[in-house]
């Protein structure tokens, strides 16, 4: 089965999400995109998430990118369409989405700390029943896949404070999520806040952008 279609939404109908956020009754699917910046220019980044809302929600999710030193659109949420046939999707209760810029431990530090803080206040008691959702940036490239048994060292590093699962279990859970055309959740919590003093000035730019 093919993933859900990556249809964009009009900005005038979409709300803006950044920092910590919650999406009820939403499905996630993954796609590949081509990078137009940096060392990966012209290369494809695999398994980039986007969301489909069963409640008709539309939103842009903006996150801090330590490579560019600014906030940008990481992914988006679009309303579900009858043609999506969400009955074919896998079903999960809770999801937790966090940023992964590239499969590199240095870059993972920027997102692992705020993800832990958000997770500890919202989902700690239900960690065993939570599915972790990677929100990879366009810089991530070929960061994981079946050919490497779904392992990604920066992804595992980001989850180490959130779960006691062993390496093989983390990889298997990631493979199940990425290898399924779509997965629907009762609720997805997200954490895309930065752990970086430069981001204070960057978020001021986002606020200015949203107010103009």
């Amino acid at each position: 089965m093919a993933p859900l279609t990556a249809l964009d939404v009009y900005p005038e109908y979409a709300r803006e999400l950044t920092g910590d956020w919650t999406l009820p009754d939403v499905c996630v699917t993954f796609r590949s995109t081509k990078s137009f910046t940096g060392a990966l220019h012209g290369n494809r980044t695999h398994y980039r998430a986007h969301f489909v809302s069963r409640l008709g929600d539309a939103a842009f999710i903006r996150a801090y990118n330590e490579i560019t030193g600014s906030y940008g659109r990481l992914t988006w949420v679009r309303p579900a369409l009858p043609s999506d046939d969400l009955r074919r999707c896998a079903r999960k209760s809770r999801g937790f989405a966090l940023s992964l810029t590239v499969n590199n431990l240095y870059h993972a530090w920027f997102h692992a700390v705020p993800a832990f803080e958000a997770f500890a206040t919202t989902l700690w008691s239900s960690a065993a029943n939570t599915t972790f959702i990677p929100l990879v940036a366009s810089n991530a490239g070929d960061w994981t896949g079946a050919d490497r048994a779904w392992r990604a060292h920066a992804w595992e590093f980001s989850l180490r404070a959130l779960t006691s699962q062993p390496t093989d279990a983390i990889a298997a859970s990631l493979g199940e999520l990425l290898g399924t055309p779509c997965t629907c959740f009762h609720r997805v919590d997200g954490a895309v806040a930065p752990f970086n003093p430069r981001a204070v000035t960057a978020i001021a730019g986002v606020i200015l952008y949203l107010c103009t």
Side-chain angles (χ1 to χ4, degrees), residues 21 33 78 117 145 153 166 186:
W21 41 267
T33 62
R78 70 163 174 85
E117 292 176 342
H153 59 274
H186 175 68

Side-chain angles (χ1 to χ4, degrees), residues 71 198-211:
Y71 276 75
R198 291 181 300 170
V200 176
T201 55
I203 198 168
V206 173
I207 295 172
L208 180 62
Y209 167 81
L210 296 178
C211 294

Side-chain angles (χ1 to χ4, degrees), residues 4 9 11 46-47 57 71 74 85 92 103-104 118 120 122 133 160 163 165 179 185 193:
L4 301 177
V9 294
H46 301 291
Y47 304 112
D57 197 8
Y71 276 75
L74 180 60
D85 189 17
K92 301 283 186 179
N103 189 27
N104 175 290
T122 58
I133 304 168
R160 266 292 145 238
T163 179
Q165 292 181 345
F185 296 88

Side-chain angles (χ1 to χ4, degrees), residues 101-182:
T101 309
V102 293
N103 189 27
N104 175 290
L105 296 185
Y106 166 77
H107 290 285
W109 274 109
F110 288 86
H111 308 286
V113 174
F116 167 76
E117 292 176 342
F119 188 81
T121 58
T122 58
L123 289 168
W124 196 260
S125 61
S126 58
N129 299 316
T130 299
T131 298
F132 297 102
I133 304 168
L135 302 180
V136 302
S138 60
N139 317 83
D142 188 18
W143 64 281
T144 191
D147 58 331
R148 65 199 75 178
W150 302 107
R151 295 192 178 187
H153 59 274
W155 177 243
E156 180 178 350
F157 172 83
S158 298
L159 301 188
R160 266 292 145 238
L162 312 182
T163 179
S164 59
Q165 292 181 345
T167 295
D168 289 346
I170 291 175
S173 178
L174 180 64
E176 178 186 4
L177 180 69
L178 301 184
T180 302
C182 50

Side-chain angles (χ1 to χ4, degrees), residues 7-99:
L7 300 174
D8 215 335
V9 294
Y10 291 107
E12 56 266 34
Y13 299 115
R15 59 194 178 107
E16 299 280 347
L17 300 176
T18 191
D20 302 337
W21 41 267
T22 298
L23 293 171
D25 207 1
V26 71
C27 306
V28 66
T29 186
F30 297 88
R31 74 201 191 285
S32 295
T33 62
K34 182 173 288 188
S35 174
F36 295 99
T37 60
L40 289 174
H41 180 82
N43 290 352
R44 299 195 71 81
T45 290
H46 301 291
Y47 304 112
R48 298 198 66 199
H50 70 277
F51 295 94
V52 175
S53 171
R54 299 168 70 99
L55 301 179
D57 197 8
F60 294 126
I61 298 173
R62 299 189 184 276
Y64 182 74
N65 186 311
E66 67 280 1
I67 295 176
T68 63
S70 62
Y71 276 75
R73 192 176 88 170
L74 180 60
T75 186
W76 76 99
V77 186
R78 70 163 174 85
L81 302 173
S83 58
D84 289 325
D85 189 17
L86 299 180
R87 296 171 298 177
R88 64 191 176 100
C89 300
R91 295 286 189 273
K92 301 283 186 179
S93 176
R94 300 292 293 271
F96 184 72
L98 61 154
S99 298

